[in-house]
Amino acid sequence: MLNVAPACTAHEFDLVFSALADGTRRDIVERLSTGEATVTELAAPFTISLPAISRHLKVLETAGLITRSQHGRWRSARLSPASLAGAAAWLERYERLWTESFDRLDEHLARLTSENSAVQDRDQRQQR
Amino acid sequence: MNTTTAPQLTLTRLFNAPRALVFRAFTDPEQFASWWGPFGNLLPRDEVEFDVRPGGYLRWTELFPGQPDTWTKGRVDLTEVVDGELLDGVMQITGHLPHGFKPFETRMRLEFHDETDGRTRLEVSQWLPNHLVAPTTNGWGEAFSKLDATLPS
């Protein structure tokens, strides 16, 4: 179960989801989940150009999913999991809207079905 | 609203009642008012107005009796209706919502299926209120589940 981070804003939520909507960016996020990496290391599995990778990293950074840094000649990135957890927390909140009402629907249906069977019992007794 | 993608939220729920009964609990205003309430615990019966057919609608209001500043108006514009089986449409939630929610619009789909022993399986699909998800499949869900394993708990 993910830690429930403070709920992010609708805008942040949009940025995270649009950042993750791209397969290359999801792969980058997954690679970074095992630790910090340089841009060159991140680009290695892909056939697209380094500038294209940098554009993807920019999208991820704007969404707050990664932070980038420079050590001498090496540019690198690391994951900041708080944003992802925030988006997951959003999903949990929406899911809870349904499940809480469904608990009450359970009770409502139980009342209906027990009323139905009480009526049926009474009718059967009257028919004897 | 982009709904050519897979839904972002899916739920399955089993109910101990026959499908026709469960469907009616959603579409009979009297019954709906007695159990529905994600945003309030009182639905004034005279503000629940349903026209259950394709092109029709569901309208309702949710209140907390002790909190006049919090109110929610719900509306579903129904696009697909199959009696006893399916409700599909666009839900708009407006008002001064509780729990930190802001007004939103989302497509949702409810499918009612028979289960053994006179029970019903409800499948809820919801496309969350964001317009930017590109036409890929469940990649975001995979991203979450892979990261779930690595985040500190």
Side-chain angles (χ1 to χ4, degrees):
Chain A
M1 170 73 94
L2 285 169
N3 260 344
V4 178
C8 58
T9 65
H11 178 59
E12 289 163 357
F13 175 82
D14 283 348
L15 287 176
V16 168
F17 270 82
S18 79
L20 293 179
D22 178 276
T24 303
R25 292 196 287 266
R26 286 198 299 279
D27 287 344
I28 291 172
V29 164
E30 188 180 347
R31 165 61 185 82
L32 291 174
S33 71
T34 64
E36 186 169 1
T38 64
V39 176
T40 313
E41 284 168 342
L42 289 172
F46 306 105
T47 57
I48 61 180
S49 66
L50 269 183
I53 291 288
S54 289
R55 282 195 292 276
H56 282 307
L57 292 178
K58 179 82 183 129
V59 171
L60 289 170
E61 188 182 42
T62 305
L65 287 167
I66 67 170
T67 53
R68 294 192 288 176
S69 53
Q70 183 136 359
H71 308 292
R73 284 187 302 132
W74 305 107
R75 281 171 291 154
S76 61
R78 66 166 9 127
L79 200 61
S80 41
S83 289
L84 198 62
W90 263 71
L91 288 176
E92 264 184 276
R93 293 170 79 214
Y94 279 99
E95 186 172 321
R96 226 177 302 141
L97 295 180
W98 291 101
T99 55
E100 286 173 357
S101 286
F102 287 164
D103 291 345
R104 286 165 46 187
L105 177 54
D106 274 333
E107 292 167 19
H108 170 78
L109 291 168
R111 275 195 302 274
L112 279 186
T113 50
S114 75
E115 282 165 15
N116 281 356
S117 54
V119 168
Q120 282 167 13
D121 286 348
R122 188 201 64 205
D123 289 347
Q124 283 172 356
R125 281 198 301 276
Q126 289 176 347
Q127 282 165 19
R128 289 206 205 100
Chain B
M1 170 174 303
N2 176 15
T3 57
T4 56
T5 65
Q8 283 104 334
L9 179 62
T10 57
L11 303 174
T12 299
R13 182 90 173 212
L14 283 178
F15 293 105
N16 289 325
R19 184 162 50 82
L21 224 62
V22 181
F23 189 82
R24 221 174 303 143
F26 280 84
T27 54
D28 170 16
E30 197 81 41
Q31 294 192 49
F32 184 82
S34 75
W35 65 268
W36 179 260
F39 294 116
N41 54 22
L42 173 70
L43 271 65
R45 174 61 188 89
D46 58 350
E47 293 185 39
V48 182
E49 207 187 307
F50 285 3
D51 181 12
V52 183
R53 58 177 179 85
Y57 57 82
L58 311 173
R59 283 195 206 119
W60 71 92
T61 303
E62 297 177 41
L63 305 172
F64 286 108
Q67 299 169 33
D69 288 339
T70 298
W71 55 273
T72 303
K73 279 207 184 313
R75 180 198 173 99
V76 177
D77 287 306
L78 294 165
T79 51
E80 258 188 282
V81 175
V82 178
D83 191 43
E85 293 179 21
L86 176 65
L87 295 167
D88 195 321
V90 176
M91 178 165 68
Q92 286 178 324
I93 300 292
T94 56
H96 294 155
L97 279 61
H99 314 316
F101 278 91
K102 294 282 181 329
F104 63 91
E105 183 178 280
T106 173
R107 179 187 160 202
M108 42 133 269
R109 180 179 179 90
L110 305 181
E111 288 180 22
F112 299 76
H113 299 274
D114 289 322
E115 274 286 329
T116 54
D117 302 325
R119 293 176 303 163
T120 301
R121 186 178 82 251
L122 173 65
E123 290 179 3
V124 178
S125 303
Q126 192 177 333
W127 284 255
L128 292 181
N130 85 81
H131 45 276
L132 297 175
V133 178
T136 57
T137 51
N138 245 357
W140 59 268
E142 292 163 13
F144 284 158
S145 57
K146 281 169 184 167
L147 274 170
D148 198 10
T150 61
L151 289 174
S153 54

